[in-house]
């Protein structure tokens, strides 16, 4: 792989490592509010199926208020109730229409949420659906100066588009009925287990490929030296190997530039901008899938000749015949995914392209020693925390989570994610992990296996098993935290970096290898010339 293709992949990598938050389906405007008597409910998502003229229609999703009674968790226990439109629409004063246990549809604004609920309750409503003035949901809390709150009917907020649709049906003099219930999510969904296996398996595969390539390069170097070759191959000199070593400066600049890209994505997030990201992802995915397939097929003797025969292609340089054969399939795969990416099983294609891209990046990009790895992961650790948590103070929302979800774009999140649909979750949705949560710690894990192989250490005596286990535990803790935080997006590197980096540093110090790991990054090997002279 020559330098233009490396540059292309690194450019895509910069965009791909932006979405570092393992975000769940969370409600927007996650403002914290102190609990008080009568206003201490947990915020829960509410399913609102509808019937128009006794025919099943759309099912909407709302969010329950901090106040009022808790909703039924099972659909069979929830009552089907007639819906009516408030008059006046804001329900800040007594409704003109007589209510006898109907659910009342009101609009947000002009008075507090609790005032609307109390007015509707006194008028005889059995529940209140409050329509937000935006397409997102908002967590309804009590006013700071309110006391002795005693709301006895459920209050649920719906997004603006859902309210407009229900209002249109009601104004057409049709009968509209709704049902309100809030099913509980399982503590752990099997999708998270599969996602964990995907992340760990991707790093495992990439690490072995990287270590095998490094060992082959070392053998080739020793062979050249033994043959008294005048050319001394090195990481910088072997352009054909296509390896890019990260240095201290680029480790810091990478995170700084990634932050600038993240802010740009946040500010420019729209439908067309997500389309640009889809194109970039497809380019990187094609390159990654092609590289992985060529490397895999080259292991079979039927493809050896085509893999070792090259033709010169403009811009890309020397390209094997096997690559030319595989490339059309990879391009077609990416194009088909891009066209049909909104269908229910498109996540399979996205994950295939994403895993291939990640493995290729971990094969090409390397940390030369533990010092660079420590700086890179430490910067990424702070980057992740800042853009998930601290950014709320400046932007009033988590920039990382907004970008990962693709808010304001009309799309179901950006494509730079591995995702699996939650199989046993009544709310559906996806369990996701950002590419950066795999690539950045994966660089350190791959480094550990390269060191072990070059130092001829067994799995038990080496660092790879410990680094791989530490990554797996860190990611596992991330999903535990995600479930404990009720689906709120978590910066995975907050948990992964201390586990992975801390284990590596502690073990290196204990075994006395820390100085070598920190500076050289590979064991000292005696020169073959000297060995040859001694044998003679």
């Amino acid at each position: 792989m020559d330098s233009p293709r490396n540059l292309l992949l690194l450019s895509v990598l910069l965009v791909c490592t932006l979405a570092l938050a393992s975000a769940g389906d969370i409600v927007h405007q996650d403002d914290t509010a102190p609990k008080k008597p009568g206003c201490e409910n947990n915020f829960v998502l509410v399913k609102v199926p509808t019937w128009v003229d006794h025919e099943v229609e759309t099912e909407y999703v709302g969010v329950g208020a901090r106040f009022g009674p808790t909703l039924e968790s099972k659909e069979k226990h929830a009552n089907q109730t007639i819906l009516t439109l408030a008059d006046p629409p804001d329900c800040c004063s007594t409704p003109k229409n007589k209510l006898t246990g109907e659910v009342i549809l009101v609009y947000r604004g002009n008075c507090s949420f609790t005032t609307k609920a109390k007015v509707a309750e006194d008028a005889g409503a059995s529940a209140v659906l409050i329509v937000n003035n935006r397409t997102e949901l908002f967590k309804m809390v009590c006013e700071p100066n309110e006391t002795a709150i005693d709301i006895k009917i459920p209050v649920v907020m719906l997004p603006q588009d859902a309210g407009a649709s229900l209002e249109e049906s009601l104004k057409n003099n049709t009968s509209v009925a709704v049902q309100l219930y809030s099913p509980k999510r399982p503590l752990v969904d099997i999708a998270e287990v599969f996602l964990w296996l995907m992340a760990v398996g991707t790093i495992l595969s990439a690490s072995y490929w990287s270590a095998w390539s490094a060992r082959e390069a070392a053998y080739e170097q020793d062979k050249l030296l033994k043959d008294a070759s005048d050319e001394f191959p090195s990481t910088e000199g072997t352009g054909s190997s296509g390896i890019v070593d990260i240095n201290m400066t680029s480790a810091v600049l990478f995170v700084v530039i990634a932050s600038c890209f993240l802010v740009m994505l946040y500010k420019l997030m729209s439908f067309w901008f997500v389309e640009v990201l889809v194109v970039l992802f497809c380019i990187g995915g094609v390159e990654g899938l092609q590289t992985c397939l060529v490397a895999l097929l080259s292991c079979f003797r039927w493809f050896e000749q085509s893999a070792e025969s090259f033709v010169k292609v403009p811009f890309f340089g020397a390209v094997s015949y096997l690559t030319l054969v595989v490339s059309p399939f990879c391009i077609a795969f990416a194009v088909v995914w891009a066209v049909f990416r909104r269908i229910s099983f498109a996540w399979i294609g996205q994950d295939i392209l994403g895993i291939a891209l990640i493995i290729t990046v971990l094969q090409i990009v390397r940390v030369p020693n533990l010092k660079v790895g420590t700086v890179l992961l430490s910067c990424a650790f702070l980057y992740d925390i800042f853009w998930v948590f601290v950014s709320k103070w400046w932007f009033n929302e988590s920039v990382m989570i907004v970008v990962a979800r693709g808010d304001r774009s009309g799309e179901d999140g950006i494509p730079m994610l591995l995702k699996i649909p939650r199989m046993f979750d009544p709310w559906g949705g996806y369990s996701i992990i950002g590419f950066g949560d795999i690539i950045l710690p994966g660089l350190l894990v791959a480094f550990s296996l390269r060191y072990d192989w070059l130092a001829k250490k067994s799995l038990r005596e080496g660092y790879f098993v410990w680094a791989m286990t530490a990554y797996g535990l860190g990611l596992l803790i991330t999903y535990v935290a995600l479930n404990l935080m009720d689906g709120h997006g978590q910066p995975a590197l907050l948990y992964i970096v201390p586990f992975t980096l801390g284990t590596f540093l502690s073990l290196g110090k204990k075994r006395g290898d820390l100085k070598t790991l920190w500076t050289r990054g590979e064991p000292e090997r005696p020169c073959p010339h000297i060995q040859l002279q001694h044998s003679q």
Side-chain angles (χ1 to χ4, degrees):
M1 183 175 294
D2 52 22
S3 56
R5 292 167 71 187
N6 282 350
L7 181 61
L8 180 65
L9 264 181
L10 290 175
S11 301
V12 176
L13 167 66
L14 185 63
V15 180
C16 287
T17 52
L18 295 178
L20 300 179
S22 298
D25 288 337
I26 66 172
V27 177
H28 297 222
Q29 297 291 345
D30 184 17
D31 298 322
T32 57
K35 294 183 178 181
K36 60 179 70 175
C39 192
E40 52 191 357
N41 293 345
N42 291 323
F43 294 112
V44 295
L45 293 176
V46 180
K47 288 197 172 187
V48 187
T50 63
W51 291 260
V52 176
D53 288 336
H54 307 289
E55 296 291 333
V56 177
E57 286 290 330
T58 310
E59 180 178 271
Y60 302 106
V61 175
V63 61
R66 184 73 111 179
F67 48 87
T70 56
L71 289 160
E72 288 287 349
S73 61
K74 297 185 182 296
E75 182 180 7
K76 62 182 180 181
H77 295 156
N79 296 323
Q80 189 179 131
T81 311
I82 295 297
L83 180 70
T84 186
L85 189 63
D87 183 16
D90 57 17
C91 199
C92 291
S93 57
T94 304
K96 298 176 182 178
N97 45 337
K98 185 178 179 181
L99 302 177
T100 55
E102 295 90 346
V103 175
I104 189 170
L105 184 70
V106 308
Y107 278 84
R108 181 182 176 182
N110 299 330
C111 60
S112 68
F113 297 123
T114 51
T115 299
K116 296 176 188 292
K118 193 63 180 173
V119 169
E121 181 184 348
D122 292 342
S126 61
V128 182
L129 293 180
I130 299 180
V131 181
N132 196 14
N133 50 17
R134 298 173 59 186
T135 55
E136 295 95 357
L137 295 173
F138 185 88
K139 291 186 174 180
M140 296 179 289
V141 299
C142 303
E143 296 295 326
N145 57 351
E146 289 182 310
T147 57
I149 301 165
D150 186 23
I151 306 297
K152 293 184 172 62
I153 60 174
V155 182
V156 176
M157 173 163 282
L158 290 177
Q160 188 179 43
D161 52 351
S165 178
L166 290 172
E167 182 183 13
E168 182 180 358
S169 297
L170 289 169
K171 287 184 175 179
N172 289 335
N173 295 320
T174 55
S175 172
V176 180
V178 297
Q179 197 176 29
L180 307 178
Y181 66 103
S182 180
K184 295 180 179 179
R185 274 185 165 143
L187 185 61
V188 177
D189 192 89
I190 193 67
E192 293 170 354
V193 176
F194 283 119
L195 199 62
W196 184 90
L197 290 173
M198 282 171 55
V200 171
T202 298
I203 291 183
L204 191 67
S205 303
S207 297
Y208 271 95
W209 188 9
S210 178
W212 179 84
S213 300
R215 186 171 63 178
E216 290 297 307
Y219 287 164
E220 185 68 22
Q221 178 176 315
D222 288 348
K223 181 180 178 182
L224 290 173
L225 288 173
K226 287 178 181 178
D227 293 341
S229 172
D230 294 331
E231 180 181 1
F232 186 88
S234 64
T235 302
E236 293 80 12
T238 53
S240 61
S241 65
I243 302 302
V244 178
D245 275 341
I246 301 175
N247 57 33
M248 294 282 288
T249 304
S250 59
V252 176
L253 284 179
F254 182 84
V255 176
V256 173
I257 297 173
S259 296
C260 296
F261 266 90
L262 184 64
V263 174
M264 182 181 72
L265 287 173
Y266 174 75
K267 293 294 185 181
L268 300 179
M269 184 61 67
S270 60
F271 175 80
W272 69 266
F273 203 79
V274 171
E275 297 297 309
V276 172
L277 294 181
V278 168
V279 172
L280 287 174
F281 174 71
C282 287
I283 293 172
V286 166
E287 183 63 31
L289 187 59
Q290 166 197 289
T291 303
C292 291
L293 286 178
V294 169
L296 183 63
L297 293 174
S298 299
C299 298
F300 299 95
R301 57 186 180 87
W302 303 285
F303 300 101
E304 284 182 1
Q305 185 174 356
S306 59
E308 295 172 357
S309 302
F310 293 86
V311 62
K312 193 170 184 180
V313 177
F315 182 74
F316 293 103
V319 177
S320 70
Y321 284 102
L322 182 58
T323 300
L324 291 178
V325 173
V326 168
S327 294
F329 166 77
C330 298
I331 294 171
F333 186 91
V335 170
V336 170
W337 171 82
V339 173
F340 298 101
R341 68 183 185 277
R342 294 180 182 87
I343 63 178
S344 59
F345 53 87
W347 60 273
I348 299 174
Q350 180 173 327
D351 287 350
I352 291 173
L353 291 171
I355 289 173
L357 174 58
I358 292 170
I359 291 176
T360 302
V361 167
L362 290 176
Q363 162 65 11
I364 294 172
V365 182
R366 297 180 180 178
V367 290
N369 52 50
L370 190 53
K371 178 170 67 174
V372 173
T374 300
V375 171
L376 177 65
L377 286 183
S378 297
C379 291
F381 174 80
L382 298 174
Y383 163 87
D384 218 11
I385 294 174
F386 180 86
W387 290 112
V388 173
F389 292 139
V390 183
S391 62
K392 293 179 183 179
W393 298 347
W394 280 274
F395 299 92
N396 297 319
E397 56 187 353
S398 173
V399 172
M400 184 77 77
I401 294 175
V402 168
V403 171
R405 288 189 312 223
D407 292 355
R408 302 188 298 272
S409 68
E411 294 275 344
D412 187 19
I414 63 174
M416 287 75 176
L417 304 162
L418 297 185
K419 64 181 187 178
I420 296 180
R422 291 195 280 266
M423 303 174 189
F424 300 105
D425 191 336
W427 293 102
Y430 293 89
S431 290
I432 64 175
I433 183 170
F435 286 0
D437 298 331
I438 303 174
I439 291 175
L440 296 176
L443 291 171
L444 189 67
V445 176
F447 164 75
S448 69
L449 187 59
R450 288 198 304 273
Y451 181 86
D452 288 351
W453 280 20
L454 293 176
K456 295 181 171 59
K457 290 180 179 289
S458 65
L459 283 177
R460 186 174 181 180
E461 297 172 344
Y463 294 92
F464 173 70
V465 171
W466 290 93
M468 193 75 251
T469 302
Y471 174 79
L473 286 175
L475 187 57
L476 181 63
I477 296 298
T478 301
Y479 285 118
V480 171
L482 188 66
N483 285 295
L484 290 177
M485 297 298 290
D486 196 26
H488 289 262
Q490 294 294 302
L493 294 182
L494 171 64
Y495 309 97
I496 293 173
V497 169
F499 271 86
T500 309
L501 192 57
T503 299
F504 211 152
L505 291 171
S506 302
L507 199 60
K509 183 173 178 60
K510 181 180 179 180
R511 294 177 174 177
D513 296 332
L514 187 58
K515 184 176 180 181
T516 302
L517 289 166
W518 189 261
T519 54
R520 289 179 53 86
E522 61 182 33
E524 294 187 11
R525 292 181 294 140
C527 179
H529 279 105
I530 298 175
Q531 290 180 328
L532 188 63
Q533 291 171 3
H534 286 172
S535 65
Q536 292 174 344

